[in-house]
Amino acid sequence: MGAYASNFKDDSGVIVAEFSDPTKGDWVTAHAEATGMAVVEVERLWQRFQQLGCNEQGVLPIEVFQQKSPLFEDVFARNILRSFKEQDEIHFQTFLNALNWCEDTETEAKVRGVFHLINNGSPINKDLMFRVLKRVYPDDSDQAVQRTTDVFMSQVDDKNQGSIDEDQFMKWVLKMPKESIEAVTQFHIIPPEINEEAHKAFVSGSPGGEPLEGRSARVRPSARTGATASGAIPVDGILMALTDRAYTRDWHLLANKLGFLRADVQQFEKQYPRDTKKQVSLMLKTWRDQEGQNATTGVLAQALRGSNMADLVPLLSP
């Protein structure tokens, strides 16, 4: 899962722990600014991080987590920890980035992350699949699980190579109903029922029953809803300036944050082979055209922050 965990480390170039600590009043707000998350989310996750056993510096030593949490006994939980720990410890900012990824990343990327989690991105052979299914069906006999494993491998391994690679895994998962996949991969930092209560409070507290100025129906604006503090639609000049800087970066991740799937990115690349700058330009203009009034600079800024490109956000100002 290393390719995905690289997004957990440092998304904006700002390391909050270098200038703040949990005793200072800006600890929560500084993390909200650095990660692009809402303050209410950071507050909630700071409480959870403390419950896990972080120290006075806002760092969670793995040995402490290992002692306090039975989850460490699970091989998949250990794989997750290995993906984004720094020298046997987890910083609060990394913890935020990881959960932010779990909430905001597109379903396809999450499924690929699951594949990488199972065997560190390597193909899954029959023995490993048996162990996975044994954990899924612990009450079944070894013979029953082995039969399930044999059937599964025969259906998914269409190349008859004796193992399942990432493409085969994705092909199998994406055949399932979209609702079923999303039900498994969906994650909310703020539970939907709390968001609903917050929305009702906003409406009831405003004149005429309309939402208060500058607040959306959600506690946290989402790039997919168009709710943002900045409602301006970026003009061609802004998109051109952004393209000039973004095409040398991980623009695939930016496209993902803007709602494009891998197949969409492949189409951009196919239209302008060997010209990355034109691919990025086409992606940004396609996003603006498709989203219409929802294609605001605020949404684009949030996507940039989530793509390790927070330093490019100033380019969005006219």
Side-chain angles (χ1 to χ4, degrees), residues 67-232:
Q67 294 168 1
K68 294 187 65 172
S69 176
L71 284 176
F72 203 86
E73 299 174 4
D74 187 284
V75 63
F76 298 114
R78 291 200 299 271
N79 278 347
I80 292 174
L81 289 171
R82 291 193 193 100
S83 298
F84 62 92
K85 69 179 183 179
E86 306 96 344
Q87 299 179 349
D88 295 322
E89 60 186 21
I90 301 174
H91 289 260
F92 180 49
Q93 189 167 345
T94 302
F95 179 72
L96 291 177
N97 289 336
L99 294 185
N100 195 20
W101 184 91
C102 291
E103 179 172 65
D104 277 355
T105 299
E106 293 295 330
T107 300
E108 183 176 345
K110 290 182 181 179
V111 175
R112 291 186 183 279
V114 170
F115 176 83
H116 282 249
L117 184 63
I118 294 174
N119 196 29
N120 299 314
S122 299
I124 304 170
N125 60 30
K126 185 177 291 189
D127 289 340
L128 178 56
M129 182 53 63
F130 173 83
R131 283 183 279 155
V132 171
L133 293 178
K134 186 63 179 175
R135 297 187 70 85
V136 176
Y137 306 108
D139 297 330
D140 288 5
S141 66
D142 287 354
Q143 293 80 2
V145 174
Q146 187 62 62
R147 286 195 297 270
T148 302
T149 302
D150 292 341
V151 172
F152 181 85
M153 294 294 295
S154 66
Q155 291 183 349
V156 181
D157 180 20
D158 53 6
K159 301 176 184 177
N160 294 318
Q161 57 191 10
S163 61
I164 299 171
D165 58 33
E166 183 174 345
D167 289 339
Q168 291 174 315
F169 182 81
M170 291 300 300
K171 181 180 178 181
W172 170 70
V173 172
L174 295 179
K175 285 181 180 178
M176 300 178 185
K178 183 178 179 181
E179 317 82 68
S180 300
I181 302 173
E182 291 180 345
V184 174
T185 59
Q186 194 174 56
F187 172 78
H188 297 287
I189 294 173
I190 303 294
E193 59 270 19
I194 295 180
N195 275 323
E196 182 62 26
E197 291 173 4
H199 176 50
K200 290 178 180 178
F202 291 162
V203 172
S204 63
S206 61
E210 293 297 324
L212 296 177
E213 182 67 25
R215 293 178 175 176
S216 86
R218 294 185 47 159
V219 172
R220 180 190 185 199
S222 167
R224 291 181 289 278
T225 65
T228 174
S230 177

Side-chain angles (χ1 to χ4, degrees), residues 261-272 279 282:
L261 300 178
R262 188 181 186 187
D264 300 319
V265 172
Q266 290 174 339
Q267 286 300 314
F268 299 142
E269 293 175 329
K270 184 177 180 181
Q271 190 153 345
Y272 292 107
Q279 294 167 7
L282 176 61

